[in-house]
Amino acid sequence: MLQRLPLFLLVDASDSMERCHADTLNRALRLVINRISEDLYAVESVVISVIVFSGKSQVKVLNRFSYAYHCGFSDISSLGGAADYGAGFGALFREMTDGVVRPSGSAPGDLRPLVFFFTADSSRRTAGQGLSDRAAQDLRRNADVFSFVLSGKTDNSWASRYSDRVYNIGDDAAPLESLLSKISSYVLKSSRAAIPQGFLSMMLSSENDYQSGGREDRAYQSGRERPESPGRARRYKSFLPYFFAGSSYTTMPELVTAMLLRPREGIRDIRSGNLARHFGRFDRYTEELCERAARDLAMALDPVSERNVFCRLMYEMAPEVKSLFAGGREISGLTELGEYAINAAAAGNERLCGEILLLQDFLEFYAVSVIKSDTAAHILRTARELATRMHYPDIRFCWILGYAFSEKRSLRVRDKVFGSPSELWYFLEDLKKRQGVSAYEGFIAECRDDLTFFAAAIPERSAKRLLQGILGNGGKAVFGDGELEFRDAAAFDDFIAKLLQGGKAYRLKAIFENYGPALRQVADEVWHSASYHSLKRTVKNFAAYEEHLFVSPEALRDYLSDILVRNQDSPEFLREYAKMHDQALASLETHPEFRETASRLRSFRNFGKSRRGSVTAHTITVNDVRYPRMLMKGDVISFGRYPCDRDGSLAPLEWQVLEVSSGEAFLITRYCCRRF
């Protein structure tokens, strides 16, 4: 895990900070912040404190131990007065004492602090005023100090008294750039080392070792594979802390949970590329997921699509997370989400209902990929289809979702919340007794839209009937000139179910073909039910077989199987049946669900058929004698009739057996059958 690296920016803002020097100073400070923000390693480890001073009473601490992406301050200008280094360095000592975490026991603490001291004062007379030799030694013993002189003077030896290195950046910020580029390697080396060394020591270490490590890190950042030593391999397979919403997270599930609780901030981190850059340091697969999500977010057209992209990424990053999150709250699953949705809708909380609605595209992915429930996915698809078809607002979608997954049956009618449809019924009955029928009918007329919605949304048939009974005959439908009449959608659905149970396929088909267009509008606009779509699916599932129509493929298969079972002792019937229906059976053989049964029936076509050119003679045996007896050479038999006489009358033909071989006989007539 990366340790914190405290970086103190100590700024001399006395009179010597002329306007040109102030511009140089602010450019340098912005350079520090930007370079650290852009570095993959430094951004997660460097914490910045900014101290500005002039005289004794003019010391300001603008930032305390802030990460670069949270570190913001306006341009710094001169505070006036003479520089008092004692005041500035005294404030630096206090901040280091209070904020730097020292090693203790197994806790490694912070890395050795860095101090960047910016000054425009090149006067040897005032340099170091108020800073004793002992204080300068203590400073250099506890931190690596680098001084940056903005005046452009070449003689800056006065600053070496309290600095490890002194740089002149009057016209060229290259020394500062070079120094900042080394911070990343310092953080990496120190985190790997058993005893971290200081930044200055790292700079003075073997140049070859440093350059090798730098090339290695730059190669990885550019996308090429990093050669892994055993220590590095172990480290990059672990999770590096991520700073999010003011806190640092050290495991993937903790980070994902925090982001799901604060989705807007999480989406912002994905869009900015911060999340991808972080995982690019140790987890290439998750980095690619984050980059893909950033591209998808750029193409998202609405908040629902954005939330879908965000939530999919979170659950792909941490598959072990199974909870849902809505409105800043963790929810254990779909059942609790259903109760949460009903409570939000009953309270009329449009904000919470809007948060739940943002999940509508994602929930099907959650059902299929997270909790792996096809049943839940089907329920969600049905709920979304109903809400889309009826153009329901957000709150009504919450009711539908809640009824689908929870057992709560609360409903809200004219700003009144009832625990169940029965409670609403008792309320109306009491209203009728206390205020009369007119008040009862007025309430129903005023709330007809709400009552109609709940009658369609609540899944239980008993509740539907109760609510439709409250509505009265408002949904009564007469088909044709009174051919059919239904009080409501529930009565129509019951009638269809009875026809289906009785196998009345032709009756169901006729109703759909005759009343389909009208039924669709009545179901959508009056009944607010799925009656039309249910009947359409039923008729579409019918199976045709010659003049027969069956309510389902299973019913046709059962019909054919029954023919086989009932006539298993009558193969002659099955042979004739197969011959008569051969074309229809051949067509059924092309369908997998009928192939086996149809093939068995068709196999009877050849029952009792002999080889071509032979005659099948079934025999009867009496006293060991088989009749008809076997033909022998020289036998004479009668076979067929022919007009042999002059008057043309038919007479039996006699044939003589010339030869018998392999069960066949060669015959010749004893008389000439044709007159020459």
Side-chain angles (χ1 to χ4, degrees), residues 608-629:
K609 186 175 180 180
S610 64
R611 294 179 301 161
R612 184 177 179 182
S614 64
V615 179
T616 300
H618 296 280
T619 63
I620 300 175
T621 303
V622 178
N623 295 328
D624 296 330
V625 179
R626 180 178 295 177
Y627 300 89
R629 291 175 297 177

Side-chain angles (χ1 to χ4, degrees), residues 560-593:
L560 296 175
S561 299
D562 185 59
I563 290 176
L564 283 167
V565 172
R566 285 189 293 105
N567 297 281
Q568 59 183 343
D569 296 330
S570 303
E572 295 84 3
F573 170 82
L574 294 176
R575 178 185 62 202
E576 296 304 317
Y577 182 89
K579 289 180 179 179
M580 292 177 61
H581 301 277
D582 184 59
Q583 187 174 354
L585 290 171
S587 177
L588 290 179
E589 276 188 312
T590 62
H591 300 280
E593 61 266 36

Side-chain angles (χ1 to χ4, degrees), residues 225-236:
E225 287 296 326
R226 181 199 303 273
E228 290 190 346
S229 64
R232 186 185 292 271
R234 284 194 300 272
R235 180 175 170 273
Y236 275 89

Side-chain angles (χ1 to χ4, degrees), residues 53 115 154 242 259 330 368 375 499 556 586 592 627 634 673:
F53 73 94
V115 178
T154 58
Y242 185 81
M259 286 190 162
E330 183 174 358
V368 173
T375 302
L499 291 179
L556 172 55
Y627 300 89
C673 296

Side-chain angles (χ1 to χ4, degrees), residues 307-318:
R307 189 62 62 87
N308 182 32
V309 172
F310 168 72
C311 290
R312 280 175 176 247
L313 172 64
M314 293 296 103
Y315 287 89
E316 287 174 345
M317 288 168 55

Side-chain angles (χ1 to χ4, degrees), residues 405-534:
F405 289 106
S406 80
E407 297 181 356
K408 293 192 70 171
R409 293 296 177 260
S410 302
L411 58 164
R412 181 187 176 99
V413 180
R414 202 178 69 173
D415 297 330
K416 292 182 179 294
V417 179
F418 301 93
S420 66
S422 298
E423 186 176 323
L424 169 64
W425 186 84
Y426 285 118
F427 167 80
L428 291 173
E429 290 298 306
D430 183 63
L431 179 66
K432 187 191 298 184
K433 291 178 182 178
R434 289 186 294 103
Q435 300 184 24
V437 176
S438 58
Y440 172 87
E441 293 179 346
F443 183 91
I444 293 176
E446 185 178 346
C447 304
R448 181 169 295 279
D449 182 62
D450 287 341
L451 292 171
T452 303
F453 163 73
F454 286 114
I458 293 180
E460 288 79 18
R461 192 173 296 278
S462 58
K464 287 179 180 291
R465 287 176 176 169
L466 180 60
L467 292 171
Q468 288 162 355
I470 292 173
L471 286 166
N473 291 329
K476 184 178 180 180
V478 179
F479 284 51
D481 295 327
E483 177 188 356
L484 296 170
E485 186 174 307
F486 303 100
R487 182 184 70 256
D488 48 38
F492 175 81
D493 293 341
D494 285 343
F495 175 74
I496 296 299
K498 289 178 181 178
L499 291 179
L500 187 62
Q501 187 176 4
K504 306 296 184 182
Y506 279 109
R507 179 69 168 142
L508 290 167
K509 183 180 179 182
I511 293 173
F512 181 76
E513 291 178 346
N514 295 336
Y515 299 107
L519 176 62
R520 181 172 188 170
Q521 293 185 10
V522 170
D524 289 349
E525 300 173 14
V526 180
W527 287 343
H528 299 286
S529 73
S531 300
Y532 167 80
H533 298 281
S534 177

Side-chain angles (χ1 to χ4, degrees), residues 87-396:
F89 281 94
L92 172 64
F93 278 123
R94 288 192 296 273
E95 292 298 318
M96 289 176 62
T97 302
D98 296 340
V100 175
V101 179
R102 304 296 179 184
S104 62
S106 60
D110 291 337
L111 296 174
R112 181 178 172 86
L114 297 180
V115 178
F116 287 2
F117 174 46
F118 296 90
T119 180
D121 194 347
S122 61
S123 170
R124 297 186 184 184
R125 180 178 55 82
T126 60
Q129 178 182 353
L131 186 66
S132 66
D133 291 339
R134 182 175 180 179
Q137 292 174 1
D138 288 343
L139 176 62
R140 295 177 64 177
R141 185 167 54 250
N142 291 290
D144 293 331
V145 184
F146 300 85
S147 293
F148 300 93
V149 180
L150 310 177
S151 63
K153 301 294 184 180
T154 58
D155 184 8
N156 299 313
S157 57
W158 53 271
S160 61
R161 178 167 169 263
Y162 48 83
S163 303
D164 295 298
R165 293 288 179 88
V166 181
Y167 298 97
N168 187 302
I169 58 171
D171 300 315
D172 184 9
L176 181 59
E177 286 262 20
S178 176
L179 198 65
L180 291 170
S181 69
K182 296 179 176 65
I183 289 181
S184 176
S185 293
Y186 170 57
V187 171
L188 288 174
K189 286 177 177 292
S190 298
S191 297
R192 288 200 299 263
I195 303 177
Q197 58 180 332
F199 182 73
L200 185 64
S201 299
M202 185 272 294
M203 291 179 62
L204 298 176
S205 64
S206 171
E207 184 70 14
N208 290 334
D209 178 65
Y210 164 71
Q211 290 178 353
S212 173
R215 284 195 300 270
E216 186 178 321
D217 293 332
R218 286 192 294 274
Y220 177 72
Q221 294 179 32
S222 65
R224 299 192 298 274
E225 287 296 326
R226 181 199 303 273
E228 290 190 346
S229 64
R232 186 185 292 271
R234 284 194 300 272
R235 180 175 170 273
Y236 275 89
K237 289 179 181 178
S238 63
F239 183 88
L240 299 183
Y242 185 81
F243 192 85
F244 174 74
S247 300
S248 180
Y249 297 92
T250 57
T251 67
M252 184 74 84
E254 289 177 354
L255 174 61
V256 165
T257 300
M259 286 190 162
L260 287 168
L261 288 170
R262 305 173 70 104
R264 288 176 177 80
E265 290 90 335
I267 291 173
R268 182 192 62 201
D269 276 20
I270 297 170
R271 285 185 185 278
S272 66
N274 285 344
L275 201 60
R277 285 194 295 271
H278 173 74
F279 285 104
R281 297 156 53 190
F282 62 96
D283 187 341
R284 182 63 58 84
Y285 172 73
T286 306
E287 177 193 19
E288 292 174 355
L289 290 180
C290 295
E291 290 175 346
R292 183 195 67 189
R295 292 192 297 270
D296 292 343
L297 284 173
M299 299 174 64
L301 301 177
D302 52 62
V304 175
S305 301
E306 285 186 354
R307 189 62 62 87
N308 182 32
V309 172
F310 168 72
C311 290
R312 280 175 176 247
L313 172 64
M314 293 296 103
Y315 287 89
E316 287 174 345
M317 288 168 55
E320 61 269 37
V321 175
K322 304 297 182 184
S323 300
L324 285 165
F325 298 81
R329 171 181 168 180
E330 183 174 358
I331 299 169
S332 62
L334 288 172
T335 300
E336 187 178 343
L337 177 65
E339 295 180 358
Y340 188 53
I342 287 180
N343 292 337
N349 192 326
E350 294 185 0
R351 184 188 67 81
L352 279 182
C353 289
E355 285 290 323
I356 295 171
L357 184 68
L358 290 175
L359 297 174
Q360 59 177 307
D361 283 356
F362 164 72
L363 286 176
E364 188 174 340
F365 170 86
Y366 174 82
V368 173
S369 301
V370 179
I371 63 174
K372 296 178 173 53
S373 171
D374 292 336
T375 302
H378 174 72
I379 293 173
L380 285 164
R381 282 194 294 270
T382 304
R384 286 195 61 192
E385 288 172 4
L386 178 61
T388 302
R389 187 170 68 249
M390 300 303 180
H391 304 288
Y392 287 144
D394 297 357
I395 287 184
R396 289 196 168 176

